[in-house]
Amino acid sequence: MKEIFSQAIQKMKRKDFLDDIVREKTAEISEITAEVAVWRKKNGGKAGTELDIKIFQANAKKAELEKLISKCKAEIKTLKAEILELLTDCYAKTDKPEIIAKIESAAYHAFEGKIKLLSDKEAGGLWGDCEIIGAIVTHDKKKKNTTAKLVNAGAVNSTGLLIKRPKIYVYVYDKKQEEGILFPENDSFKTRAKQKKENKFVKYVANTYLNDNVYIALGFVLLYALFAIWAVVGGFASRTFGELQIRYPLAIGMCIGLFTLATLKTAKKGGIADFLPIVSIDVSLVAFGCSFGYTNVLRAMVFPAILFAYGVIAIFLRYKWGEENGEKTSLEYLIPVLLGVVVAFVFRKMSKAGLAYWVTAISVYGVVFLTASVLSILKRGTKLGKVCALVSFCGTAFCITCLLLVPNALFSALFMPVAAITGLAPIYAKMKK
């Protein structure tokens, strides 16, 4: 380091000498320029006089001086670059405060306070403005993706603009290689290290579920919450749905579980295979809260427990082993149909809850299913249109099941046209694509 610093000092002395020459010759040029101006004034534009010869000789000397200054400035520029390289090298080779102070003082003198040396820490280290030129293998996991060594310091100008990036070695954690091995690396290491640093599962969940699925799921959950809370507050939850607390959760869990397994390698990302888990988790949270309004709280918790477990497991399965072939699978229609059947059976049990409850339910179901049918046509070709088509088929299954469960002429007249509309609307939309 002393030898390198000595070289820098020698070049600084040469630069100082050249700076003196530039100042001296610049002053001479100024004097010559002033004399020539006086001679021109005296000459008055006459040709062939003695003053003309003096002016010619003065301009020739001025041109020689300008060439000398130009050469000096070119050498000074080269020396500055060499001095900066040597000083940044010296800076990286010591950690003693007194020596660092000498190096910084030399830099201040060489560049007249216009350039300041910059350490890797001041530049932000690995994730900052440092240039990675190599990596050192380490077996210490705590050192993973950290700065191993400062190879060359950086530099900033008086305005804080970075003019030279600090060069560093970084630690790379690898127990398969011998510790301490150094190999070439570049700034692409930052990108690779950042990708590894990110939690892939969190990224997957954010990309898959923090989208339109959230709003659609919220709509389903709000509808469920409306009737679930109403039943608890009204005091007829246990009387109406007590018989459904074991068989139905098991049947629902089995259906959606088998559907997830069946579509694991084929279902399109962001489709119903990803929509079901988030809806299940949201519904389970509402159901957990409502379970305390039932006579047998433990039985009431079976439904939310199964839904929550399914949601968590399904998300993990989709993340770990899920694939998509870019094609829509016909299995996607299975869940809406099964859901429509299940909702119809639940609706049949609502007759025990009172007229206002099940009339409100059938009205809401009707609005939802018919709106979905209309939107499946108006929004065909879009993601919303596809979702509405599935909801519309759910309405078809619901109406047909209700026709079988409630053999009543009035209900038949109500359910038959709705079943026809909800069933034909998605088919018409598909034909009009």
Side-chain angles (χ1 to χ4, degrees):
M1 194 278 291
K2 289 182 180 180
E3 184 179 346
I4 297 173
F5 187 67
S6 178
Q7 291 177 19
I9 296 299
Q10 292 301 316
K11 290 183 182 293
M12 287 168 61
K13 288 180 179 179
R14 173 65 179 169
K15 175 186 168 296
D16 290 342
F17 172 72
L18 293 173
D19 283 337
D20 289 339
I21 291 177
V22 170
R23 280 192 292 271
E24 181 183 332
K25 300 308 176 185
T26 301
E28 286 187 34
I29 289 174
S30 297
E31 291 177 3
I32 291 171
T33 302
E35 287 180 351
V36 168
V38 172
W39 291 338
R40 289 186 186 282
K41 191 174 182 180
K42 287 182 179 181
N43 197 27
K46 296 178 182 179
T49 65
E50 183 181 346
L51 288 176
D52 275 343
I53 297 173
K54 285 185 176 182
I55 291 171
F56 176 79
Q57 291 174 339
N59 284 334
K61 186 177 181 181
K62 181 180 176 182
E64 289 180 3
L65 291 174
E66 286 174 344
K67 286 181 181 179
L68 177 61
I69 289 173
S70 181
K71 288 181 179 179
C72 289
K73 285 184 175 180
E75 188 177 349
I76 288 170
K77 185 177 181 181
T78 301
L79 286 169
K80 279 184 174 181
E82 292 174 349
I83 291 167
L84 182 61
E85 191 65 32
L86 290 168
L87 291 180
T88 54
D89 193 15
C90 291
Y91 192 96
K93 284 180 167 56
T94 182
D95 56 359
K96 295 181 179 179
E98 62 273 14
I99 297 178
I100 289 176
K102 287 183 180 181
I103 296 170
E104 289 177 338
S105 177
Y108 185 88
H109 173 79
F111 303 105
E112 300 172 350
K114 295 178 180 179
I115 290 179
K116 179 181 178 296
L117 299 182
L118 189 71
S119 70
D120 58 310
K121 292 180 181 178
E122 291 172 314
L126 168 63
W127 306 110
D129 293 319
C130 293
E131 179 184 355
I132 299 172
I133 61 171
I136 298 175
V137 175
T138 179
H139 292 174
D140 185 354
K141 202 167 186 178
K142 293 180 181 178
K143 293 181 179 180
K144 178 182 178 182
N145 297 339
T146 60
T147 303
K149 182 182 178 182
L150 174 64
V151 181
N152 279 100
V156 292
N157 63 16
S158 56
T159 62
L161 180 66
L162 187 69
I163 58 176
K164 180 178 171 61
R165 296 165 66 197
K167 296 179 180 179
I168 60 171
Y169 291 150
V170 294
Y171 279 121
V172 58
Y173 177 74
D174 191 346
K175 283 200 169 185
K176 295 180 180 179
Q177 296 190 57
E178 184 181 344
E179 189 169 19
I181 292 178
L182 172 66
F183 57 89
E185 190 53 88
N186 53 46
D187 283 341
S188 64
F189 178 87
K190 295 182 182 182
T191 304
R192 299 195 304 272
K194 190 175 183 180
Q195 288 174 345
K196 291 179 181 178
K197 190 177 180 182
E198 290 178 345
N199 189 311
K200 292 183 180 179
F201 179 71
V202 173
K203 187 177 180 180
Y204 166 80
V205 171
N207 291 338
T208 307
Y209 298 102
L210 297 183
N211 48 39
D212 293 344
N213 280 341
V214 173
Y215 304 108
I216 299 171
L218 184 61
F220 278 88
V221 174
L222 288 175
L223 283 177
Y224 170 77
L226 170 67
F227 291 102
I229 295 172
W230 186 357
V232 170
V233 174
F236 52 82
S238 293
R239 183 181 76 251
T240 305
F241 305 112
E243 297 176 8
L244 310 180
Q245 290 176 343
I246 301 296
R247 291 178 294 126
Y248 274 64
L250 291 174
I252 293 172
M254 185 180 295
C255 288
I256 57 181
L258 289 173
F259 172 79
T260 295
L261 291 175
T263 59
L264 197 58
K265 300 291 184 180
T266 58
K268 190 174 181 181
K269 186 177 179 181
I272 191 170
D274 290 317
F275 174 71
L276 278 176
I278 192 172
V279 172
S280 298
I281 291 175
D282 291 344
V283 168
S284 72
L285 297 177
V286 176
F288 268 122
C290 293
S291 62
F292 295 97
Y294 286 80
T295 305
N296 192 327
V297 177
L298 291 178
R299 283 173 61 92
M301 284 189 173
V302 172
F303 176 60
I306 289 176
L307 282 188
F308 186 82
Y310 160 75
V312 172
I313 294 171
I315 290 173
F316 177 77
L317 290 175
R318 293 282 297 160
Y319 161 71
K320 197 72 176 176
W321 293 288
E323 296 177 6
E324 63 172 309
N325 57 16
E327 298 177 0
K328 187 174 183 180
T329 172
S330 58
L331 284 173
E332 286 196 353
Y333 293 103
L334 176 64
I335 286 298
V337 172
L338 290 176
L339 183 61
V341 174
V342 171
V343 172
F345 274 91
V346 174
F347 174 71
R348 181 70 179 88
K349 292 290 183 181
M350 285 183 181
S351 60
K352 298 180 181 179
L355 183 64
Y357 191 80
W358 65 265
V359 166
T360 302
I362 195 62
S363 300
V364 171
Y365 292 159
V367 170
V368 170
F369 294 144
L370 291 173
T371 302
S373 299
V374 173
L375 290 177
S376 69
I377 298 173
L378 298 179
K379 299 293 181 178
R380 59 184 178 274
T382 66
K383 183 177 180 180
L384 178 60
K386 293 177 182 178
V387 172
C388 288
L390 297 176
V391 175
S392 187
F393 280 127
C394 178
T396 304
F398 171 80
C399 292
I400 292 173
T401 307
C402 284
L403 281 171
L404 299 175
L405 292 175
V406 188
N408 181 283
L410 178 61
F411 277 102
S412 296
L414 177 66
F415 288 129
M416 286 181 68
V418 176
I421 294 171
T422 55
L424 294 174
I427 297 172
Y428 175 79
K430 191 172 183 180
M431 292 172 61
K432 286 294 182 179
K433 280 187 179 180

